[in-house]
Amino acid sequence: MKFYIGNEHVYGLERAVKASGNPMRTKIDTTEPNEKDFVRASKLGACRGGEGHDNYLKGITVHVDIVAPLFWWKEAQRYHWFDFVSSESTMHCLLKFDVSAQCVDDTDPVILERMNALIAEYLAMPEDLTDPVQTAKKKEKWRVLVASLPSGFCLGATMVTNYQQLKTMYHQRRFHKLQEWHDFCDWCDTLPHFQELTHAADY
């Protein structure tokens, strides 16, 4: 399985661009943004992260579907405004997945072979919910399954974020060792007005 990012939906772009001028207004302007608004928003978006002049970028919301290996999710989850809407669940669906097909190609085949053997052992255990000893053994085996799942295992999720957070992620990850982050930054470049408003590639 390969890293996938797509099915994105961008909301609030024009409203946020217009709102970027609010600090210099005595009344909120509800008209459609014009060229002057985009020029101002672009200048504000060029500021360094943390300076605050690009706060209007938080108003540009992005929903996106991502399928990624666990080792990528572990790094992505450090970002505060990169939130899960809903995700696939190993608790509910681990036994429904073809584990070998669900992992990235770099996963060691020996690990996949062992994981498939553990699943077979679990499925071979009798289902007797009236026997507390057997129930306990099955719970223990389940924990072994979850604990042994390779980090190359891919899960999909629908995420919500915004242009300001994406600007930070782009800046911090575009030269990362993992190809998935390069793919992520390439995807950011395809979003409407992203480079124009964030200047993410300029620093």
Side-chain angles (χ1 to χ4, degrees):
M1 181 164 282
K2 296 184 181 300
F3 181 81
Y4 165 81
I5 181 167
N7 192 31
E8 65 276 352
H9 297 268
V10 178
Y11 305 96
L13 191 151
E14 292 186 347
R15 184 71 194 99
V17 166
K18 196 70 181 183
S20 68
N22 284 348
M24 304 302 292
R25 296 186 182 118
T26 58
K27 183 179 180 181
I28 298 296
D29 186 346
T30 59
T31 64
E32 293 298 310
N34 54 36
E35 183 179 353
K36 180 180 177 181
D37 293 314
F38 274 94
V39 170
R40 177 189 59 251
S42 180
K43 289 180 180 178
L44 293 172
C47 76
R48 296 281 180 176
E51 290 183 357
H53 301 300
D54 61 355
N55 276 348
Y56 80 93
L57 291 171
K58 288 188 292 188
I60 308 174
T61 305
V62 182
H63 286 218
V64 62
D65 293 334
I66 300 176
V67 178
L70 297 180
F71 59 76
W72 185 86
W73 283 118
K74 180 175 63 175
E75 295 184 357
Q77 288 170 18
R78 71 183 298 271
Y79 292 102
H80 187 62
W81 297 112
F82 189 59
D83 296 326
F84 286 88
V85 175
S86 187
S87 67
E88 293 176 328
S89 169
T90 52
M91 291 298 105
H92 293 298
C93 295
L94 177 55
L95 298 176
K96 298 178 183 179
F97 286 115
D98 177 344
V99 174
S100 296
Q102 199 70 19
C103 288
V104 294
D105 294 340
D106 315 88
T107 309
D108 191 316
V110 174
I111 294 174
L112 292 175
E113 183 179 351
R114 179 57 184 150
M115 189 67 197
N116 286 322
L118 289 172
I119 291 173
E121 291 171 12
Y122 178 85
L123 292 174
M125 297 180 75
E127 287 270 3
D128 186 0
L129 300 179
T130 63
D131 183 348
V133 175
Q134 187 60 40
T135 300
K137 287 182 179 180
K138 194 140 191 176
K139 285 183 178 180
E140 290 174 6
K141 180 63 75 173
W142 176 258
R143 286 188 59 85
V144 172
L145 281 182
V146 174
S148 302
L149 196 63
S151 64
F153 185 84
C154 294
L155 285 176
T158 299
M159 307 297 293
V160 62
T161 185
N162 61 66
Y163 272 32
Q164 189 179 47
Q165 181 67 94
L166 291 176
K167 174 183 172 181
T168 298
M169 297 170 81
Y170 191 106
H171 172 57
Q172 293 181 352
R173 301 289 178 168
R174 67 188 175 115
F175 298 120
H176 197 275
K177 289 182 180 180
L178 293 178
Q179 179 59 42
E180 286 83 357
W181 282 116
H182 292 263
D183 295 342
F184 183 90
C185 292
D186 289 344
W187 167 78
C188 288
D189 286 333
T190 70
L191 295 173
H193 299 283
F194 181 77
Q195 277 297 339
E196 173 191 347
L197 296 177
T198 68
H199 298 260
D202 294 347
Y203 61 96

